[in-house]
Amino acid sequence: MAEAVAKFTFVFCCFAPVHLLLDFWCDTMGAFLDKPKMEKYTSHGEGNSLKFGLSSMQGWRVEMEDAHTAAVSLPHGLDLWSFFAVYDGHAGSQVAKYCCEHLLEHITTNPDFQSALQEETCVDSVKNGIRTGFLQIDEHMRTISEKKHGVDRSGSTAVGVLISPTHVYFINCGDSRALLSRAGAVHFFTQDHKPNNPLEKERIQNAGGSVMIQRVNGSLAVSRALGDFDYKCVHGKGPTEQLVSPEPEVYAIERCEAEDEFIILACDGIWDVMANEQLCDFVRSRLEVSDDLERVSNEILDTCLYKGSRDNMSVVLVCFSGAPKVSPEAVNRELELDKYLETRVEEIMKKQGDEGVPDLVHVMRTLASESIPNLPPGGELASKRGVVEAVYNKLNPYRNDDTDPDILFFRGFS
Ligand SMILES: *[C@@H]1O[C@H](CO)[C@@H](O)[C@H](O)[C@H]1NC(C)=O
Ligand SMILES: CC(=O)N[C@H]1CO[C@H](CO)[C@@H](O)[C@@H]1O
């Protein structure tokens, strides 16, 4: 319920490689739409032996509140470092937008982080510096908000990776998630901060709050976030002891040149319908048929939409030099699969005969009941819905564009 009433605004912001050019996109409209908005904001780039692609889609939400940062080669002497993040906003876009523009700066310029750069073994200091950056930006935003008499009630989760020449620092505050695929398997993923987690619940209760319907005080679905200052005003408790904490969990993982494949950062709209292994398998299979990371990111979003995600969605895909490469066999297999699907759709539509043209749902259901060889792992038939729909529309002259979207996008279908 709370979700349907809340106002949502999506804000996209992304740093272009090397000189951190800001590129901005913002769109606000009205709760759930009749049809999902499938237009996407996309971007890509490379540097420091990394390639990245990203994509954001408004989906069924009337307004969107999402932002990303992608920066290879950082300022302040951190040329060999890179930073990627996804901010998933709620109750307004201000906090997501502010973090997107300023979080990196708060991290790299604070004294804790700076001291790390002078030391030999700096991993713990970097982690500390990241934590300090989060607490500092939150305090800063609170001051701004108080000056404006608390008009900003928005909040944002943040998930990111800071990549040094030797380590990947996974950073999470909230219920978005980052994962690392290494040597063909999920090697690491961040823990979601949900109010029901024992440690989160304990903190919430110690701050005098409660967890109901899996939400902080029955209303906020995430237990750590930047902003959300209404949940951060318990007297006598420090910033990390409040109902909602801005403290990130940071994990340092030593890089492994030979085995590191890719990192995925995505908001909960993705993980709601894809398990870690599923998404990893899907991405791996897509990288074998395309090296266009924007396209792969778009396919992730479309597949999640067809699998039933009703949320606004964002994904950032970062590939190391060890990522799977396009293989001619995989490309051929995919072409054959598309051809096979086209033929099957034609057959299903012809077979209907006197009963007239079957609807797309019937076609998808029929296909789903069959065993189709070589469907992309993790994405399955949902990832091929675009192909099916294209043939269907070509063959169906009576196509009605106003088909009930709930029928078109039968939820939970995979
Ligand atoms: C959360 O619930 C507690 C206990 O009912 C209450 O004292 C507190 O003001 C509530 N805080 C928010 C932000 O809803
Ligand atoms: C990406 C984004 O803006 N995510 C928001 C989408 O809508 C849900 C509604 O529940 C919010 O929780 C997300 O923060």
Side-chain angles (χ1 to χ4, degrees):
M1 283 308 270
E3 273 180 25
V5 230
K7 283 262 180 174
F8 293 96
T9 321
F10 258 106
V11 174
F12 302 98
C13 121
C14 115
F15 289 99
V18 190
H19 281 300
L20 308 174
L21 298 168
L22 257 176
D23 151 11
F24 229 61
W25 187 88
C26 182
D27 182 14
T28 43
M29 305 203 329
F32 279 109
L33 303 165
D34 294 346
K35 285 183 182 183
K37 271 212 150 194
M38 297 185 64
E39 294 95 56
K40 301 176 184 71
Y41 171 87
T42 61
S43 179
H44 71 277
E46 59 190 294
N48 283 344
S49 310
L50 304 169
K51 276 181 68 189
F52 70 88
L54 57 85
S55 183
S56 265
M57 176 166 60
Q58 185 170 340
W60 294 87
R61 293 242 161 229
V62 170
E63 298 180 37
M64 293 233 306
E65 305 167 342
D66 171 41
H68 355 264
T69 310
V72 282
S73 207
L74 308 182
H76 310 300
L78 297 166
D79 310 34
L80 299 177
W81 293 54
S82 306
F83 180 67
F84 301 91
V86 167
Y87 307 95
D88 185 354
H90 43 261
S93 61
Q94 294 91 326
V95 168
K97 183 180 157 202
Y98 192 87
C99 293
C100 171
E101 289 169 2
H102 302 289
L103 178 60
L104 179 59
E105 193 71 13
H106 277 272
I107 291 173
T108 56
T109 57
N110 78 66
D112 290 334
F113 187 90
Q114 282 294 319
S115 77
L117 304 176
Q118 268 100 59
E119 294 166 28
E120 279 284 294
T121 49
C122 64
V123 172
D124 284 340
S125 311
V126 171
K127 287 166 74 173
N128 213 7
I130 293 169
R131 181 181 177 274
T132 304
F134 269 70
L135 300 192
Q136 195 179 289
I137 197 173
D138 207 50
E139 197 46 48
H140 187 73
M141 288 188 296
R142 182 206 285 269
T143 311
I144 299 173
S145 166
E146 274 166 8
K147 277 196 193 126
K148 293 186 193 160
H149 307 291
V151 284
D152 183 16
R153 310 202 110 67
S154 73
S156 178
T157 68
V159 72
V161 282
L162 184 62
I163 305 178
S164 82
T166 54
H167 287 80
V168 181
Y169 296 88
F170 283 84
I171 307 162
N172 184 40
C173 176
D175 60 1
S176 293
R177 196 181 302 157
L179 81 66
L180 169 67
S181 173
R182 174 180 283 182
V186 176
H187 181 76
F188 174 80
F189 60 94
T190 57
Q191 296 300 321
D192 310 343
H193 297 131
K194 296 279 193 190
N196 260 355
N197 297 1
L199 276 177
E200 301 295 305
K201 197 171 190 170
E202 191 181 314
R203 187 196 69 238
I204 293 163
Q205 288 169 344
N206 284 343
S210 61
V211 177
M212 288 176 296
I213 51 163
Q214 300 177 33
R215 285 160 184 265
V216 181
N217 272 15
S219 82
L220 192 66
V222 60
S223 58
R224 295 202 199 184
L226 293 154
D228 287 316
F229 299 114
D230 288 347
Y231 297 86
K232 296 177 177 170
C233 32
V234 178
H235 288 293
K237 296 279 181 192
T240 61
E241 300 167 327
Q242 299 285 331
L243 294 171
V244 171
S245 166
E247 186 175 27
E249 277 189 83
V250 186
Y251 306 84
I253 291 186
E254 214 172 320
R255 287 175 65 173
C256 174
E257 183 85 31
E259 296 187 333
D260 285 339
E261 294 181 314
F262 53 84
I263 287 167
I264 304 170
L265 306 178
C267 62
D268 59 341
I270 308 276
W271 305 110
D272 283 348
V273 294
M274 292 274 242
N276 295 343
E277 285 75 16
Q278 260 186 317
L279 186 52
C280 252
D281 291 348
F282 184 57
V283 167
R284 204 171 295 113
S285 83
R286 296 307 81 191
L287 292 175
E288 288 175 353
V289 298
S290 172
D291 60 2
D292 177 345
L293 300 189
E294 271 186 31
R295 182 180 142 185
V296 173
S297 304
N298 286 342
E299 278 190 57
I300 295 172
L301 299 193
D302 286 339
T303 301
C304 289
L305 185 73
Y306 296 139
K307 278 175 178 266
S309 181
R310 279 224 154 212
D311 223 335
N312 37 53
M313 291 186 282
S314 290
V315 66
V316 176
L317 174 61
V318 183
C319 286
F320 295 98
S321 43
K325 301 281 175 298
V326 172
S327 94
E329 300 84 67
V331 172
N332 273 335
R333 208 163 45 230
E334 192 79 8
L335 284 174
E336 273 168 32
L337 169 63
D338 289 357
K339 248 189 278 168
Y340 175 88
L341 286 170
E342 285 168 21
T343 314
R344 277 302 293 136
V345 173
E346 271 181 54
E347 288 167 0
I348 295 166
M349 290 178 71
K350 274 197 198 121
K351 205 170 141 209
Q352 200 74 355
D354 298 340
E355 290 169 44
V357 184
D359 59 21
L360 188 52
V361 178
H362 173 82
V363 175
M364 284 299 278
R365 290 229 168 98
T366 310
L367 289 172
S369 68
E370 298 172 0
S371 92
I372 299 169
N374 296 324
L375 280 175
E380 291 94 32
L381 190 56
S383 68
K384 284 287 154 191
R385 192 183 177 289
V387 173
V388 173
E389 193 177 353
V391 202
Y392 179 87
N393 288 342
K394 204 174 72 190
L395 296 177
N396 181 9
Y398 310 109
R399 179 163 72 93
N400 177 3
D401 277 323
D402 298 324
T403 314
D404 178 358
D406 265 328
I407 296 178
L408 265 174
F409 295 82
F410 24 106
R411 327 241 332 255
F413 182 83
S414 57

